[in-house]
Amino acid sequence: MRLRVRKAAHILERSGLALAGAACGLFVGAHVGSSIAVLTTVAFLLAMMAVGAVGFYLGIDIPPLPFHGDNGAEHDRGQIDAAEFLSAVGTFCATLAAFASVTMVVLHLEPHVAWTGLILAAWLAGVAMQIIAGTIGRARR
């Protein structure tokens, strides 16, 4: 019984992260679509939401590498956990882009198209890093 509850809680947690990613993608897509006419399509919004959902589902809560402390092998010292690093940077970039987009939408700001392009690039790079991090983290299990 306890295992089923843990699995159900994990599924709810992952689903919540996917929904948060989809919402972030929707805000970024709405802002970018309102600034760049070519991207004002339902398909673009759905793609942004799907990529956000996958990125947040896979890229947050990566299983860490085992910690060996001072007794670890010599080659383990000083190594960076690529999955953990990509997850952290990707989550920061994606959520910063979403926050900037929400700010633009709510305050009715119209930034230069270069800023909109930067927001889109930060979103796509962040979500790509999350997806890569999630793939690396799950491949090493």
Side-chain angles (χ1 to χ4, degrees), residues 40-138:
T40 307
T41 64
V42 173
F44 176 71
L45 284 176
L46 291 175
M48 294 291 282
M49 290 173 65
V51 169
V54 171
F56 277 57
Y57 181 87
L58 290 177
I60 298 176
D61 191 30
I62 304 285
L65 283 176
F67 181 71
H68 298 293
D70 291 333
N71 297 331
E74 186 65 34
H75 68 280
D76 285 344
R77 292 185 185 163
Q79 285 187 343
I80 297 172
D81 183 357
E84 188 175 9
F85 180 76
L86 285 171
S87 174
V89 174
T91 299
F92 179 79
C93 288
T95 54
L96 182 62
F99 179 78
S101 295
V102 169
T103 302
M104 302 297 167
V105 170
V106 170
L107 298 179
H108 301 289
L109 300 175
E110 295 181 20
H112 190 273
V113 73
W115 287 109
T116 299
L118 182 64
I119 289 171
L120 179 60
W123 168 257
L124 293 175
V127 174
M129 284 187 259
Q130 287 180 314
I131 292 170
I132 292 168
T135 304
I136 291 170
R138 280 149 186 83

